[in-house]
Amino acid sequence: MSKNLAAWEKAKRDGKKMAFITAYDYPFARIADAAGLDGILIGDSLGMMVAGDADTLKVSMEQMVYHTRIVARGAARALVMADLPFGSFEAGPEQAFKNSARLLKAGAEIVKLEGGEAMVETVKFLSARAVPVCAHIGLTPQHVRQLGGFKRQGKTQEAAARIFDDAIALEAAGARMVLMEAIPTELATEITDRLTVPTIGIGAGPGCDAQILVLHDVLGLNMDRAPAFARAYVNGAKLMQDALTQYAEEVRSAKYPE
Ligand code: KIV
């Protein structure tokens, strides 16, 4: 059975921690699903992890629809969440609805959008029209130009209070989950305790209901700089490089094919 939104909400009520991971294609979605991950995000981080860009700003709706379709095909159990990329929702609720519908038709069960109080009207509009929304607050990578880099957020009392208010307003607007990136542990814990919807943290400490990491960071496939809070559970890049080296050597030495 799919780990749908009701299962996530029950997990929060039961105090059970949940694990999310990003994935961008069918084989990795199958692997994540078989590993028992509770949720899979088709993140716009695909611009960085798959396309090799320095940020997520170039990712298009066409890319998101394509990657959502191929991930959803491989996710039999995990909840499938897809990102609304930069420029696909900020113009207004109607634009957000049109593009959310494309992601739901491609197989997403919930869409994620970045932004705080400025997104309240959009979240209300989507929620009233059968689109489950996860609100992404704190460090919002689509705002990298405005923020001047991928910097931790909520460091001053005023900034922390703004993020807290964002979370409350977004839940009241109908957000079914709140993802918090790169904010202080105490703030994330306080928000988690206050909200009835599940929170997902990334670089936000252990107090959140769920954690998410980028697949390439967890598998050691990110050959560029990984964030300090990420943990590689295997050196995937080395394992794969060694396998490819062995293959090339066996071809050259006529060991393969036999
Ligand atoms: O795009 C993404 O992968 C994300 C996660 C880092 C939360 O938004």
Side-chain angles (χ1 to χ4, degrees), residues 64-116:
M64 288 309 304
V65 167
Y66 171 74
H67 285 276
T68 298
R69 189 172 302 126
I70 62 179
V71 166
R73 212 174 275 152
R77 297 170 55 259
L79 182 79
V80 176
M81 180 188 290
D83 263 343
L84 282 164
F86 181 61
S88 73
F89 62 98
E90 301 90 331
E94 267 114 25
Q95 184 203 26
F97 178 76
K98 194 169 132 271
N99 286 320
S100 299
R102 292 181 69 190
L103 295 176
L104 294 194
K105 284 175 201 277
E109 290 165 284
I110 179 167
V111 303
K112 176 163 80 61
L113 57 79
E114 294 187 12

Side-chain angles (χ1 to χ4, degrees), residues 30 34 56 75 82 127 208 224:
R30 282 197 64 171
T56 59
S127 305
C208 304
D224 300 318

Side-chain angles (χ1 to χ4, degrees), residues 116-171:
E117 282 201 74
M119 285 301 129
V120 161
E121 284 314 310
T122 296
V123 172
K124 258 191 211 155
F125 190 91
L126 296 179
S127 305
R129 286 164 181 77
V131 179
V133 180
C134 173
H136 181 156
I137 58 174
L139 170 57
T140 45
Q142 291 172 11
H143 300 182
V144 62
R145 298 278 194 278
Q146 203 173 37
L147 298 173
F150 298 107
K151 296 180 177 157
R152 290 191 73 76
Q153 301 295 306
K155 287 199 273 196
T156 65
Q157 232 172 11
E158 298 76 57
R162 251 196 322 274
I163 293 171
F164 187 84
D165 291 346
D166 283 346
I168 305 293
L170 289 160
E171 180 182 63

